[in-house]
Structures are given as C-alpha cells and as structure tokens.
Amino acid sequence: MEYNQTQSVATSRSSVAIFMQQVYLWMTVALLVTAFAAFITVNNETIFMAALTGFTPIILIAGIFGLVFYLSFAMHKLSPAVATSLFLLYAVLNGVFLAPIALIYTEASIAKTFIITAGTFGGMSLYGMKTQKDLTGIGSFCIMGLWGLILAMIVNIFMKSSAMDFVISIVGVIVFVGLTAYDTQKLKTMGETAPLDDSVAIRRGALLGAMTLYLDFINLFLYLLRLFGDRK
C-alpha cells in the first residue's frame, strides 16, 4: 500500500514536471516570436506604416482577441499542428501590434523593464509552483481587479488623467503579479493529472497554459513599462 502511494506521488510529480516544461517552452517560443515580429515591424517602414494606418490596428486587435477566444474554447478539437500554428500566429500579431512601443520608449528602458518583468514573473511563477497555500482566493480577487482595471482604462480614455493612469499602472502590476502565481498553481494542478501517454492532449494543454502565462507576462511587462519606461 505504501509502495503504491509512493509510486503515485512520483508519477504525479513526473507529470507536473513534463507538463510544465512544455508550458514554459511554448511560452518562451511565443515571447521570442513576438519580439522578432516587433523587430521586423519596426525596421521595415512598409510593414510599420501598414500596421498603423487605416483599419489595420482594429483588425490586429480583433485578430488577437479572436484567436484568444477561439483557442480557449476550441483547443480540444484542434490538431496539434493547427493549434500550434494558430498559437504562433497569435504571437506574431501581438508583436506587430506592440511594435510602436519601440518608438515611444527608449531601447534601454525597454530592455531594463523586460529584465525586471522576467525576474518578477519568474519569482511569482516559482511561488505558484512551490507554495502549499491555495491561491484560488487571490486568483478570484485578481480577476475582479482585472475587470475593474479594464473599466478604469475605458473611463480614463475620456478623462485623460495622468494621476489615474499612474494608479491604473500600479494596480495592473499587482493584478498580473497575483495572476502569475495563481495561473501557475492552476497549471501545476492540471499537470498532476496530465495523460503522459497522450501527446496530443499534452500539446493542447501546454499551448493553453503557455498562452495564459504569456498573457500574464506581456501585460505585466506593459504595466511596468508605463511605470518605469523612459519616453523618447
């Protein structure tokens, strides 16, 4: 009996390790693709102007949100190849959409903020992996905070208050720091029951997990950039 329990724990840890390795791998790939797409956009005048003019920004936003919702709800029906392709397309669209920040902030401050973001994200993700505390309450609070954050940003479009913008940036950092820990713990729980003998299910789950943590990382980076970035 004791042997079976030990074997079960070992199998669970192995499942978590393999699953989370896949999640972090695809998240890293997505970040690299986004960075490359942003670099190409900024350094190609034709692509850059096309991304900023006409209805292109609206199309980019629609494509980004559309892919998030589609992958979230249809991932279980997609083949690994299609799911991976759509996930990478999502990363490319984000890169093109975010490219203009290179014209707003100095390269040094973008690099500095990226390092701060990586350290903060890594620390909170590690906490989510290792803590024995249930982070569901924190996750629920952060999700409610996210909706409040969206509402405040919409209001501030019309108010154009620098003070509110500063508060929004601080709240945004707090929300996505909390979500990073919560989402990591949620993915760890998912990994405990991951079917190691089903590579298709592992890929689908890893891509969904990677998209979740990718969103946490990107949003944390953007809010930190608003706080610490040096404008040109």
Side-chain angles (χ1 to χ4, degrees):
M1 183 71 172
E2 184 177 347
Y3 171 77
N4 290 336
Q5 289 178 339
T6 303
Q7 188 179 40
S8 177
V9 170
T11 301
S12 177
R13 289 177 177 174
S14 177
S15 297
V16 170
I18 293 173
F19 180 72
M20 292 306 294
Q21 284 174 2
Q22 289 290 311
V23 169
Y24 288 124
L25 171 64
W26 284 111
M27 174 197 160
T28 302
V29 169
L31 289 174
L32 291 173
V33 169
T34 296
F36 183 72
F39 176 81
I40 293 297
T41 301
V42 169
N43 289 279
N44 187 303
E45 186 176 353
T46 302
I47 297 176
F48 186 75
M49 294 307 298
L52 291 179
T53 56
F55 292 102
T56 306
I58 297 175
I59 294 172
L60 284 173
I61 293 174
I64 289 168
F65 280 98
L67 282 172
V68 168
F69 285 111
Y70 182 71
L71 287 172
S72 297
F73 292 104
M75 181 66 79
H76 65 284
K77 298 185 295 185
L78 300 175
S79 69
V82 172
T84 304
S85 298
L86 291 177
F87 177 68
L88 294 178
L89 174 61
Y90 167 71
V92 170
L93 293 180
N94 267 302
V96 175
F97 181 73
L98 296 175
I101 67 173
L103 301 183
I104 300 173
Y105 298 96
T106 64
E107 293 179 0
S109 68
I110 291 175
K112 176 186 69 177
T113 305
F114 183 86
I115 293 172
I116 295 172
T117 303
T120 304
F121 177 90
M124 294 311 299
S125 191
L126 181 63
Y127 173 75
M129 281 287 293
K130 298 298 183 181
T131 185
Q132 298 301 312
K133 180 181 179 181
D134 185 1
L135 300 180
T136 302
I138 293 176
S140 299
F141 178 80
C142 288
I143 291 172
M144 288 189 293
L146 179 59
W147 285 110
L149 196 63
I150 294 172
L151 179 61
M153 291 176 69
I154 294 173
V155 170
N156 203 40
I157 290 175
F158 302 98
M159 292 182 59
K160 298 180 180 179
S161 168
S162 57
M164 180 177 283
D165 187 67
F166 180 72
V167 172
I168 287 172
S169 298
I170 293 176
V171 173
V173 170
I174 294 172
V175 164
F176 283 101
V177 161
L179 283 176
T180 296
Y182 166 69
D183 287 334
T184 301
Q185 186 179 74
K186 185 172 65 174
L187 290 170
K188 175 189 173 184
T189 302
M190 186 188 302
E192 290 173 351
T193 56
L196 296 182
D197 57 341
D198 188 343
S199 60
V200 173
I202 290 289
R203 171 66 66 86
R204 288 169 175 166
L207 288 174
L208 274 178
M211 185 171 69
T212 299
L213 293 186
Y214 169 91
L215 281 168
D216 292 339
F217 188 100
I218 290 292
N219 281 285
L220 181 59
F221 169 74
L222 291 175
Y223 283 113
L224 285 171
L225 190 61
R226 289 170 61 157
L227 286 174
F228 302 117
D230 298 323
R231 291 177 178 266
K232 291 182 177 179

